Amino acid sequence: MSNPTSKHTPQPVSSKTTYALAGLALVVVVVIVGALYLWNRGGGDTVRSDGYGPVHDPGVSVALDSDGGIVLGKPNVAKTVDIYEDPICPACGHLEKIYGQEIAQQVDLGKIAVRYRLVNFLDRNSKSKDYSTRAIAANECVAQAGDGPVYGKFHSLLFTTEQPSEGGSDHDNKELAAIAKQAGASDDVAKCITSGERADAGRAHAEASMKALDDLIGKNWGTPSIFVDGKKVDWGNSNWVLDAAK
């Protein structure tokens, strides 16, 4: 998780919404700040709805919006939670580990839908230098198939047990496809991932999501950033998911 002192805060370097990070020195700072933050959270690290798992109600669907938003939920849900995250962001992984199962439970209950808006400003912190973009493309391949439980499991895996560490090794497309198959995706979905056919779309959608964040809260944003009804959520409040589901 990231509070104002521990967020990844990218700085724009061109008229296109791209972000440069300061390399190894910043990685060290992020690790130290993140460790201090998690230390200070204490009881806030208790896993919510532990044992529930990802969404598993077959009535949950997933849809890929034209702007790249991935919407997971049941039809006609009154409230949608927007979550902006980077696939390699440690705080985003922490969010999924602590709150992912509780989010899934509320989605299964039809209390909320989730719109994932994925960004790629941490590409440079991956060994391949494009992991975030390729992971976004893989998410889109899985999402466009429309199976909510499969997407939910895939997203959970990518942000928990299968999330690469910043500066460390990451997954190639074949490995991303294998994770999708583990989640229950079809051979066609796996082919979409291995071929990289959604790479350009994923990159464009990531830039659109970063521009959306600029418009919402200015350029000093970080991931994860969460919004309900257009209002930013403080996910340091351990009851934020249940509050959103009211």
Side-chain angles (χ1 to χ4, degrees):
M1 172 176 172
S2 297
N3 63 17
T5 62
S6 64
K7 285 179 179 177
H8 298 285
T9 50
Q11 299 297 320
V13 294
S14 72
S15 58
K16 297 178 181 178
T17 314
T18 56
Y19 294 84
L21 300 178
L24 182 60
L26 180 58
V27 173
V28 172
V29 171
V30 168
V31 169
I32 292 172
V33 171
L36 289 172
Y37 176 73
L38 296 180
W39 177 270
N40 289 331
R41 277 181 56 88
D45 286 340
T46 301
V47 175
R48 308 279 293 189
S49 298
D50 194 15
Y52 187 83
V55 294
H56 45 260
D57 188 326
V60 175
S61 62
V62 61
L64 179 61
D65 286 347
S66 59
D67 63 357
I70 296 172
V71 183
L72 182 69
K74 291 184 173 179
N76 303 315
V77 175
K79 191 172 292 186
T80 299
V81 178
D82 288 279
I83 301 179
Y84 290 78
E85 54 192 3
D86 188 300
I88 207 170
C89 159
C92 300
H94 188 70
L95 173 74
E96 182 68 25
K97 289 171 185 173
I98 301 302
Y99 295 104
Q101 296 179 83
E102 187 171 48
I103 293 170
Q105 187 177 39
Q106 296 305 311
V107 169
D108 277 344
L109 289 172
K111 299 291 187 179
I112 60 172
V114 181
R115 181 184 293 108
Y116 294 107
R117 298 295 303 270
L118 303 177
V119 301
N120 65 351
F121 76 96
L122 290 176
D123 261 344
R124 293 190 178 189
N125 282 29
S126 65
K127 185 175 182 180
S128 64
K129 304 305 180 186
D130 65 352
Y131 174 74
S132 294
T133 296
R134 291 186 297 101
I136 292 169
N139 271 268
E140 294 190 3
C141 287
V142 178
Q144 69 183 356
D147 190 312
V150 169
Y151 178 78
K153 185 174 182 180
F154 179 69
H155 179 274
S156 177
L157 287 169
L158 279 193
F159 280 89
T160 57
T161 58
E162 299 296 336
Q163 187 185 44
S165 59
E166 285 188 275
S169 60
D170 54 58
H171 303 299
D172 61 25
N173 285 353
K174 185 178 293 186
E175 290 167 337
L176 285 168
I179 296 168
K181 292 284 286 182
Q182 181 183 345
S186 68
D187 290 340
D188 286 343
V189 169
K191 183 178 178 181
C192 173
I193 297 171
T194 55
S195 68
E197 68 180 66
R198 293 204 62 87
D200 289 342
R203 185 175 295 106
H205 291 153
E207 291 189 3
S209 292
M210 290 188 286
K211 175 62 167 59
L213 269 176
D214 286 348
D215 293 341
L216 282 166
I217 54 177
K219 295 185 182 299
N220 191 34
W221 52 259
T223 55
S225 287
I226 304 169
F227 299 84
V228 177
D229 296 330
K231 297 180 180 179
K232 197 169 188 300
V233 171
D234 174 15
W235 63 278
N237 167 18
S238 61
N239 289 318
W240 74 268
V241 177
L242 296 181
D243 289 344
K246 290 179 179 177

